[in-house]
Amino acid sequence: MKRMRRVWRLVLAVVLVCGGSAVSTAKTILYVPQDDRPVDLAYTTETARAAGYTVLTPPAAYLSGASFTGNAEALASWVEAHAGQADAMVLSMDSLLYGGLADSRKHGEAMPVLQRRLQRVERWHRQYAQVPIYAFSTVMRSPWAGGRGVEPAYYLTYGRSIYSLAALQYKWHTGTLSAADKQAMFQLMGQIPLEYLQDWYSRRQKNMVLNERLIEDARNHVFTYFCLGHDDNSQHTQSSLEVAYLEKIAAAAGVTDFASFPGADQLGLLLIARAHNDFQQRHPTVQVLYPLGTGGETVPRYDGQAVEDTVAAHIQAIGGREVTTGRPDLLLAVYTPLLRGDGEAATVDNVPIMSASARTFLQQIRRATRQHIPVSIVDLTFSNGSDNTLLYGLYTQHMLYTPTAYNGWNTAGNAIGYGIGQGILAASMTAADRKNMLAVQYLDNWAYQANVRDYVQRMQLKMQRHVWEPCYAEEMTELQSLAKEQVQRYARLYLGLDPHTVEVTLPWRRLFEVAVQIRPQGDVPEEAQVRRQLREDRIKAREERVRAAAAALTQADGNEPADGKTPAQLAARQAYEDAVADWQRETVAAADARTIQEEEERAQTLRTWQPRL
């Protein structure tokens, strides 16, 4: 009997150490994302489900997408129909008020409609008193240029002028406007159509009023916790002015269940991590590690504040506590650039050159993991993708699957929020789920964002200049195929994954984001084979056409006079020559395509490194 008890104690210890989801109390989270992009929907829900949660999400038709707006009214009705099944709700207020994040920037809703929608949400606190509500909203971004479909149409033409005007108005507000600045400001006001300025500022005013009301709701405990994200919040912009005003309102009101920091796409996962800690009545301790250089004082280009401030706010938002001594529940290893600037990951500067700082940083991570301290790496050396040097170090030192989590995508705030959220939730995952989560982030953040995306853009230019013969007639289908082929190649060569387990899509039909899915059942076609087969089939089809044309020519020559100059003979000969020429063009195009692709893949290797064979 004593021996049996020892066995059971050993089994329990193994389960606890391994962090299997069996130790998590099964809970249901109702989640309304801000749109259907992978970072907001698929990656967030996959992380929560791997941690043992049941996640309820709205029908896809209700969510904001690449080519359609979200349905705020339908989303609210869906919440009311399913709230009773939930142990907690994590709600995007941008979706429930405007339809989605991008919709918040271009909607035409009247203020009374928006206020009525907010009142409906506020009633849920009383209707579902037993279900805590974790809500998040954003301050509208002030981008320097417009993106098709994600800003008002006029922003494509006047976006830079509006951005410059808002920056000058920031100077005016802060008392730093020079005489030359004042002249430039009035010139810009004369260049931008008045109706566009009125539209842009009136929508921002609605967003400000509603965010102020949401902060008041947090003070009145309508929400268990409320996060205000600063969407692409660069310094000295209209957004930064609005953030300062709202944070001042919150501070004056003494709101405690509230956080405000840069970023938007990480908010859903972060609040799921907060709910997770509240369920377990835990306040995890987080120690932050920086490399040599500017470290926590680094101000990333899209965040508008020091990294250390953003990290501290995120730790507070999950109910955690930042510590500098003792054994932490999580080591957050934040890899910042050696110098103050952070460029784009796709630039030529992103090449693997190991430095003493990088080696020391990796040694500190290895030391922590050997002490069984969970480590979540947040890679902030570049914006919009991973640092090839850091990944090179992890690869060569066989450390890719050593950390608990890795994030190096989009803005610093996005990566920090995901790094903390996944780092906390990973403790409730199986080892296999943690490995899959890491693989997805490496293939998305490193393979695609830092390397493959640039390759696909170059191939797109070659297609447009008719230097490259595509496999697919429709451009975006071809680009998605190229992206899938290359990401699967990275998965096989660098991560040791079977390409048949790696699905890759461009869900918003643009190159900015990718969706990577690990499918253990191995039912994904290997795109390199698909593309080879397509080219072979096209050549075979043309060979068949040549044979058919040759047979028709032989028949025409046999049925007509021997001089070969009758209309039937001339037509048959022309058809044969056209078929041969078409076959030759296709054969040459296929050979050229192979050569170009091999050259581009070699160029990628120069940006990364030669993988182990």
Side-chain angles (χ1 to χ4, degrees):
M1 189 65 179
K2 288 182 179 178
R3 183 179 179 186
M4 184 60 69
R5 282 199 296 267
R6 285 197 299 270
V7 170
W8 277 112
R9 281 198 297 269
L10 178 61
V11 171
L12 178 60
V14 169
V15 172
L16 288 171
V17 169
C18 291
S21 58
V23 301
S24 296
T25 303
K27 297 281 187 181
T28 298
I29 295 175
L30 182 149
Y31 175 51
V32 176
Q34 58 191 8
D35 52 46
D36 69 358
R37 286 173 299 148
V39 291
D40 294 307
L41 182 57
Y43 293 176
T44 295
T45 56
E46 287 165 6
T47 300
R49 287 171 180 142
Y53 289 99
T54 297
V55 185
L56 305 178
T57 55
Y62 298 172
L63 296 174
S64 179
S67 57
F68 47 86
T69 59
N71 189 328
E73 302 289 349
L75 286 170
S77 296
W78 177 85
V79 170
E80 290 169 348
H82 294 84
Q85 304 170 32
D87 295 295
M89 293 191 278
V90 177
L91 307 177
S92 164
M93 295 308 300
D94 286 342
S95 288
L96 291 165
L97 293 174
Y98 315 109
L101 178 63
D103 302 329
S104 73
R105 308 171 191 149
K106 54 184 183 176
H107 70 88
E109 302 288 6
M111 195 62 185
V113 172
L114 298 173
Q115 289 171 328
R116 176 179 54 77
R117 290 175 180 171
L118 178 52
Q119 290 166 0
R120 185 176 183 179
V121 174
E122 290 167 338
R123 288 196 295 270
W124 296 343
H125 172 60
R126 297 187 299 274
Q127 290 175 310
Y128 312 103
Q130 78 284 5
V131 184
I133 301 175
Y134 301 84
F136 60 99
S137 179
T138 61
V139 175
M140 281 178 61
R141 70 180 185 177
S142 300
W144 66 273
R148 192 175 302 277
V150 295
E151 303 288 343
Y154 57 78
Y155 216 86
L156 288 169
T157 304
Y158 295 100
R160 294 190 184 186
S161 297
I162 293 173
Y163 176 86
S164 299
L165 175 61
L168 291 169
Q169 289 176 328
Y170 176 93
K171 286 187 174 184
W172 173 74
H173 182 81
T174 56
T176 58
L177 190 72
S178 67
D181 289 336
K182 188 174 182 179
Q183 182 178 0
M185 185 172 72
F186 283 114
Q187 286 178 342
L188 285 168
M189 291 176 68
Q191 293 169 3
I192 305 168
L194 181 60
E195 62 269 27
Y196 295 161
L197 286 176
Q198 289 174 333
D199 176 78
W200 196 66
Y201 279 106
S202 72
R203 192 176 295 108
R204 301 192 74 92
Q205 178 64 20
K206 293 173 185 176
N207 179 265
M208 282 280 289
V209 170
L210 292 169
N211 276 328
E212 188 172 345
R213 173 75 168 269
L214 290 168
I215 291 171
E216 180 69 13
D217 286 337
R219 187 176 76 85
N220 293 332
H221 306 294
V222 172
F223 306 129
T224 299
Y225 205 83
F226 173 57
C227 279
L228 181 65
H230 319 162
D231 189 12
D232 289 354
N233 184 48
S234 302
Q235 292 178 303
H236 314 310
T237 61
Q238 181 66 27
S239 299
S240 59
L241 279 177
E242 293 164 2
V243 165
Y245 170 79
L246 291 168
E247 289 180 342
K248 185 176 180 180
I249 291 291
V255 184
T256 56
D257 299 324
F258 165 74
S260 172
F261 43 71
D265 295 336
Q266 77 274 26
L267 298 177
L269 181 63
L270 194 76
L271 285 177
I272 288 174
R274 171 67 186 235
H276 169 80
N277 288 330
D278 287 351
F279 287 146
Q280 299 189 351
Q281 298 182 340
R282 292 181 66 244
H283 298 281
T285 55
V286 181
Q287 185 175 347
V288 185
L289 169 68
Y290 294 105
L292 294 174
T294 54
E297 297 177 357
T298 304
V299 179
R301 64 171 56 191
Y302 299 111
D303 281 14
Q305 67 181 44
V307 165
E308 59 191 4
D309 295 333
T310 303
V311 168
H314 279 77
I315 293 173
Q316 173 198 326
I318 56 132
R321 183 166 56 90
E322 187 172 348
V323 297
T324 56
T325 59
R327 181 186 178 86
D329 295 311
L330 179 69
L331 177 64
L332 191 70
V334 183
Y335 192 63
T336 49
L338 189 61
L339 302 176
R340 288 190 177 273
D342 66 320
E344 295 290 321
T347 62
V348 294
D349 296 332
N350 192 5
V351 292
I353 303 175
M354 289 299 293
S355 63
S357 173
R359 290 190 182 91
T360 301
F361 188 74
L362 291 170
Q363 288 169 1
Q364 291 170 307
I365 291 173
R366 186 184 291 278
R367 189 178 306 120
T369 57
R370 284 175 175 170
Q371 297 172 9
H372 304 291
I373 297 173
V375 177
S376 179
I377 299 176
V378 177
D379 184 356
L380 304 184
T381 302
F382 293 97
S383 296
N384 294 311
S386 302
D387 176 30
N388 278 321
T389 293
L390 180 60
L391 266 293
Y392 174 70
L394 290 169
Y395 177 85
T396 55
Q397 297 187 33
H398 304 276
M399 291 175 59
L400 283 172
Y401 294 112
T402 297
T404 295
Y406 169 87
N407 282 273
W409 58 281
N410 287 22
T411 69
N414 295 155
I416 290 167
Y418 246 69
I420 293 174
Q422 289 191 332
I424 292 296
L425 291 167
S428 297
M429 297 180 190
T430 65
D433 283 334
R434 282 196 298 270
K435 183 176 180 180
N436 284 344
M437 182 175 73
L438 281 164
V440 167
Q441 294 304 107
Y442 288 140
L443 293 176
D444 182 312
N445 307 177
W446 171 63
Y448 181 76
Q449 290 194 40
N451 297 291
V452 172
R453 180 165 54 195
D454 180 62
Y455 161 85
V456 175
Q457 288 171 335
R458 293 198 306 273
M459 299 303 283
Q460 183 181 28
L461 286 175
K462 294 179 188 299
M463 285 164 48
Q464 293 170 348
R465 294 169 181 171
H466 305 290
V467 176
W468 161 269
E469 183 73 22
C471 286
Y472 296 93
E474 201 270 321
E475 182 176 89
M476 190 51 62
T477 303
E478 174 69 8
L479 299 181
Q480 178 172 279
S481 173
L482 289 170
K484 182 175 179 178
E485 177 188 35
Q486 292 303 309
V487 172
Q488 286 181 336
R489 186 174 72 88
Y490 275 73
R492 175 175 55 83
L493 291 177
Y494 295 97
L495 302 186
L497 298 176
D498 180 356
H500 294 94
T501 65
V502 180
E503 182 60 275
V504 181
T505 58
L506 301 175
W508 271 42
R509 294 183 59 78
R510 62 183 187 179
L511 298 182
F512 184 74
E513 64 266 299
V514 69
V516 177
Q517 184 183 17
I518 304 297
R519 294 167 62 170
Q521 62 269 35
D523 60 350
V524 182
E526 184 173 357
E527 197 65 17
Q529 295 178 351
V530 172
R531 295 180 64 81
R532 279 196 299 271
Q533 191 62 53
L534 284 171
R535 292 198 184 279
E536 288 174 4
D537 289 347
R538 283 161 60 167
I539 291 173
K540 287 178 181 177
R542 282 154 179 77
E543 289 173 348
E544 287 295 329
R545 183 183 167 196
V546 169
R547 281 193 286 270
L553 178 60
T554 299
Q555 183 178 6
D557 286 343
N559 295 338
E560 300 290 339
D563 62 6
K565 295 183 180 180
T566 67
Q569 289 174 317
L570 292 173
R573 181 163 297 281
Q574 185 62 53
Y576 172 74
E577 291 174 354
D578 290 346
V580 170
D582 190 33
W583 168 74
Q584 290 173 334
R585 279 195 300 269
E586 189 63 39
T587 303
V588 170
D592 289 346
R594 282 194 301 272
T595 301
I596 290 171
Q597 185 155 358
E598 289 168 358
E599 290 173 352
E600 289 292 346
E601 288 179 357
R602 282 195 295 271
Q604 282 188 77
T605 304
L606 295 176
R607 288 175 52 85
T608 53
W609 58 89
Q610 191 66 37
R612 291 186 292 265
L613 298 179

